[in-house]
Amino acid sequence: MRLKLVNSRAGRIARAADLIRNGLEIRSCLKLGVPEIDEILPWGGLPRGLHDIALPPVAGPGDAAPAGFAALLATRRPGPVLWCRLRRAAEGDPYGLGMASFGLAPGRLILVEVRRQADLLWAMEEGARTRGLAAVVGEGAAPDLTAGRRLQLAAEAGEGLVLSLPPPRAFSSSALTGWRVNSEPSAPEAGGPGRPRWRLSLWRCRGGRPQDWIVEWDDAAFSLSVAPALANRPLAAAAG
Amino acid sequence: MTLADARALVPGLTAAEAQPEADAMALTGLADWCGRYSPWCAVDGSDGIRLDITGCAHLFGGEAALLGDIEQRLAAFGISVRGAIAATPAAAWGWARHRPSNAEAILAAEDDDALRKLPVAALRLEEEDVQALIALGLATVGAIAALPRAPLGQRLGKAVLLRLDRLFGRMAEPISPRAPAPLWRVPMIFAEAIGRREDIDAATLHLTRCLCRDLSLKGKGARRLELSFFRVDATVQRVAIGASRPTHAPGHLARLFAERLDRVDPGFGIEAMVLEATEIEPLAPRQSIFPVPGECEAADLAALIDRLQNRLGSTRVAQLVSVASHVPERAELYRTASWAEGEVSLVGIELAPANSRPIKLLSPPEPVEVMAPVPDDPPLSFRWRGKLHRIAAADGPERIGPEWWRPGPGRARDYYRVEDSEGRRFWVYRDGLYGAAEPPRWFLHGFFA
């Protein structure tokens, strides 16, 4: 009886300390650091929950822009990143040295490789429930309505950020936001490819309006920004 | 006697072919089943099972009750059995097979006279040796034991002395158990066989709680655990789990088991469960009331990695470890994850120039058809998986030589970072140089975001 009392008191103290430590952080949401995008999102940034980052239906194979965008979002919170992927859907393996150029230290990655969709969704859900992860990324995840709802609830319970990178022509309809990301021709620098440029299209957003941007990733300053509207690409190409 | 002779004598004789392998397998299974009585059980010869019940009998209400329980259960399986309990394994062997028909099954430890009255065959000698001894007029164990030792050994061989010593406990005869003897063990025997998943879950939780209480009192944590299910049809199923760091948290262990319990087939029911810790490590108690920032999370993460590894297999959950190599596919290794030490610290990132590495790496690299001016200009276009990519901008070459200190063929590679007309970025390389004996080949090695 006495033990029980102490236990419950210890539990209460632990919970209170937890709240003090995390309270402020829980309520804030993830800013992309791009004012144009953050102000469109009804939460002022990306809230904890399930987000869908897909390639546009017309995009061909070999476009790793969604993975780059996911890596970029994952680095904005502290802690390790659970990167789950479906074996047959994956086009190449995550490469730590490349992740590093989006600010994601390779040592923070926990890579999970699964064979079945059910295992992938299970691993993502387990990750979403776990405190202390920066993000859970699911490559090749195609959750149906029930599974998507489960993921969303798990992410809310664990205050996790779950990024679903679905296979071509799939999306999770229960996600809070749906993004389509694909590469765009960059402004060339010194004859070579310039900074990575993506077309970022917020096409589904709970309580918000869809919109498109062309964004550019500056790896030196580690910042994402809306690209200048005029890229003098044809001229540069002709000169090169 | 041949089968034909036997048939002539008994016309309705049923004959079955001897299957020694199948018999041995069945006996092994039965020995596993006997693990519910004691962890020290082993197959003995072709027709026996040996249990070391030291310290186990009181759990079943004494030696007589233990033996009675075994005999009754085996009889219920349709197995006729002759059991005996004695002070030494050799005495138990002899007592089970050669005791007088009116004798008790349990032989008291000091009852050497009863052993002396046993026939010579109870010594477990070769059949011809037994016949030779009987021919010499030595029909009982006592008759041999009464002879002087030295001449006995010289005349009949060392084997007889060895058997005698083992019979009377003058020499130890250890049992080599079927499974490694567990360090910690909690059994649970049910009054009625259970089969429902809820019951199994509840029993698992109870067992993990009992084990964890014992472990935490001793300041230990389990790394590997095994849960055995003893079914009513005399078969045993086992489920094993591992933890990435020692733990004595019952809830966590029960959850790890819960992932595996789907594979357990209760059949007609499970009558006993035994939880064993096969690998334990010291785990000092820690004050847990005042949280140190990051400590809760570290424990949660370790628990998460355990769950992932137990369900998906430990090799499917990996962390990246960098290797001091400039060859891209060798620069990183996937290592089985364990969050015990926290984040992996990486050395050697500085080996690669900043922003020159793709976010996804194809392994192995895929060959592509390339149009490129010789000798070392970047390609103009390439065809990958049947689709043509026109190159709008290219950066390179970055020459990466083979590691000459490693055996095997290797050629220098010239890597180009290329962007196609739609903005996709690829990492292609030319394997070899133009003008060499073997023409160069082009490969696609990765994707930039």
Side-chain angles (χ1 to χ4, degrees):
Chain A
M1 191 59 211
R2 193 176 155 68
L3 193 71
K4 206 168 181 178
L5 187 76
V6 172
N7 266 343
S8 74
R9 187 177 296 164
R12 276 212 301 279
I13 295 173
R15 271 198 300 280
D18 208 35
L19 210 65
I20 294 165
R21 207 171 60 241
N22 296 329
L24 293 172
E25 203 257 338
I26 288 168
R27 272 161 193 77
S28 70
C29 59
L30 186 85
K31 299 256 186 227
L32 271 78
V34 189
E36 293 91 333
I37 302 178
D38 283 336
E39 71 188 18
I40 288 291
L41 291 166
W43 309 272
L46 281 186
R48 313 283 179 259
L50 176 65
H51 303 276
D52 194 60
I53 301 172
L55 273 175
V58 290
D63 198 339
F69 187 52
L72 176 61
L73 292 177
T75 72
R76 310 239 153 175
R77 292 179 74 191
V81 177
L82 188 71
W83 194 288
C84 317
R85 63 199 207 280
L86 198 60
R87 196 167 179 183
R88 61 188 143 81
E91 211 168 54
D93 300 325
Y95 193 56
L97 296 177
M99 296 275 179
S101 63
F102 290 95
L104 183 57
R108 286 172 60 193
L109 279 173
I110 303 171
L111 297 163
V112 179
E113 191 187 58
V114 299
R115 286 157 192 271
R116 294 183 301 143
Q117 181 69 236
D119 283 339
L120 179 69
L121 294 174
W122 171 82
M124 286 170 71
E125 195 180 317
E126 288 287 328
R129 283 187 199 287
T130 304
R131 310 281 294 269
L133 282 179
V136 178
V137 179
E139 252 185 289
D144 58 12
L145 205 60
T146 320
R149 187 84 195 114
R150 279 184 68 106
L151 269 178
Q152 170 62 25
L153 288 173
E156 274 170 16
E159 284 125 29
L161 183 70
V162 184
L163 307 171
S164 157
L165 272 53
R169 286 173 293 282
F171 64 92
S172 45
S173 50
S174 40
L176 289 176
T177 60
W179 301 81
R180 281 174 179 161
V181 192
N182 65 303
S183 299
E184 282 284 314
S186 65
E189 284 169 5
R195 292 170 181 165
R197 251 184 210 192
W198 304 324
R199 174 178 295 277
L200 198 57
S201 147
L202 177 67
W203 70 289
R204 282 160 45 85
C205 176
R206 200 175 284 179
R209 281 175 299 122
Q211 195 163 338
D212 277 23
W213 301 270
I214 303 269
V215 292
E216 194 172 76
W217 169 246
D218 182 352
D219 44 33
F222 278 111
S223 75
L224 195 69
S225 57
V226 171
L230 192 70
N232 52 351
R233 173 163 187 108
L235 206 64
Chain B
M1 186 185 288
T2 60
L3 185 59
D5 291 343
R7 278 256 163 78
L9 290 172
V10 185
L13 188 72
T14 319
E17 208 162 311
Q19 293 177 306
E21 289 89 6
D23 287 346
M25 257 170 78
L27 195 65
T28 310
L30 207 60
D32 282 344
W33 178 84
C34 288
R36 59 183 287 164
Y37 296 104
S38 160
W40 293 84
C41 57
V43 174
D44 185 19
S46 61
D47 60 349
I49 293 171
R50 208 187 250 207
L51 298 178
D52 183 349
I53 57 162
T54 311
C56 299
H58 71 279
L59 298 172
F60 300 87
E63 291 180 348
L66 173 72
L67 191 61
D69 189 63
I70 295 180
E71 285 179 342
Q72 187 194 340
R73 283 178 194 275
L74 289 180
F77 299 146
I79 299 171
S80 54
V81 57
R82 227 174 126 78
I85 294 178
T88 63
W93 190 92
W95 197 245
R97 288 166 175 78
H98 299 286
R99 67 171 180 257
S101 53
N102 56 351
E104 289 284 324
I106 299 171
L107 184 68
E110 58 276 7
D111 198 357
D112 280 354
D113 288 343
L115 282 179
R116 284 177 209 282
K117 285 185 193 132
L118 285 176
V120 171
L123 276 180
R124 208 177 178 175
L125 293 166
E126 297 291 328
E127 183 58 34
E128 58 209 46
D129 291 346
V130 173
Q131 294 304 332
L133 287 168
I134 291 172
L136 287 172
L138 300 166
T140 63
V141 172
I144 300 173
L147 294 174
R149 257 182 94 81
L152 186 69
Q154 278 172 356
R155 289 205 173 186
L156 301 174
K158 288 261 191 278
V160 179
L161 290 181
L162 182 75
R163 296 290 178 192
L164 272 177
D165 286 347
R166 284 187 171 171
L167 189 68
F168 292 108
R170 289 190 290 254
M171 183 184 266
E173 185 178 4
I175 290 180
S176 160
R178 288 263 313 133
L183 302 154
W184 298 78
R185 175 185 160 96
V186 190
M188 189 175 184
I189 293 165
F190 307 114
E192 274 193 20
I194 61 168
R196 280 173 42 217
R197 176 63 198 265
E198 294 86 347
D199 297 339
I200 296 176
D201 282 343
T204 306
L205 187 61
H206 175 77
L207 284 172
T208 50
R209 277 199 186 126
C210 292
L211 183 72
C212 289
R213 195 188 51 217
D214 293 354
L215 286 174
S216 63
L217 283 177
K218 297 277 181 191
K220 305 274 188 202
R223 285 289 305 272
R224 289 205 72 76
L225 292 152
E226 200 172 69
L227 187 58
S228 310
F229 299 87
F230 294 87
R231 288 180 9 179
V232 289
D233 56 353
T235 56
V236 185
Q237 294 186 1
R238 295 186 203 279
V239 170
I241 58 161
S244 62
R245 60 182 196 179
T247 175
H248 50 60
H252 175 51
L253 293 175
R255 269 185 84 175
L256 291 182
F257 274 121
E259 292 294 336
R260 295 295 187 89
L261 292 183
D262 295 333
R263 299 180 194 173
V264 175
D265 173 20
F268 295 109
I270 294 166
E271 53 180 5
M273 281 163 65
V274 174
L275 178 65
E276 291 167 345
T278 47
E279 208 179 304
I280 58 171
E281 281 178 16
L283 178 61
R286 274 193 301 188
Q287 179 146 4
S288 60
I289 294 176
F290 298 108
V292 181
E295 193 168 316
C296 293
E297 280 86 355
D300 284 357
L301 278 174
L304 171 72
I305 290 178
D306 283 351
R307 287 201 298 279
L308 293 171
Q309 286 182 335
N310 275 294
R311 169 150 165 177
L312 306 170
S314 57
T315 56
R316 298 255 164 256
V317 185
Q319 279 175 287
L320 293 173
V321 185
S322 72
V323 176
S325 169
H326 51 262
V327 175
E329 63 266 32
R330 292 220 332 117
E332 273 180 10
L333 278 183
Y334 280 37
R335 189 194 72 179
T336 301
S338 89
W339 209 256
E341 311 95 55
E343 280 183 20
V344 178
S345 61
L346 292 167
V347 288
I349 287 182
E350 62 277 3
L351 278 176
N355 315 321
S356 65
R357 292 292 177 262
I359 195 165
K360 296 280 202 70
L361 200 69
L362 277 173
S363 63
E366 292 184 14
V368 288
E369 291 168 37
V370 164
M371 267 199 24
V374 286
D376 52 11
D377 277 5
L380 298 173
S381 69
F382 71 94
R383 188 181 288 279
W384 173 59
R385 294 188 183 172
K387 193 172 181 302
L388 188 71
H389 298 268
R390 287 188 194 287
I391 288 164
D395 189 16
E398 178 190 348
R399 180 161 295 178
I400 296 179
E403 294 180 315
W404 51 263
W405 56 92
R406 285 165 60 81
R411 294 202 284 179
R413 300 169 178 179
D414 278 348
Y415 277 90
Y416 294 92
R417 213 154 58 89
V418 301
E419 182 177 306
D420 75 359
S421 52
E422 290 169 56
R424 285 180 294 235
R425 289 149 179 250
F426 301 93
W427 208 31
V428 294
Y429 73 86
R430 190 187 60 229
D431 186 40
L433 301 170
Y434 285 103
E438 203 179 332
R441 297 169 68 204
W442 286 84
F443 289 93
L444 175 64
H445 205 174
F447 311 98
F448 292 92

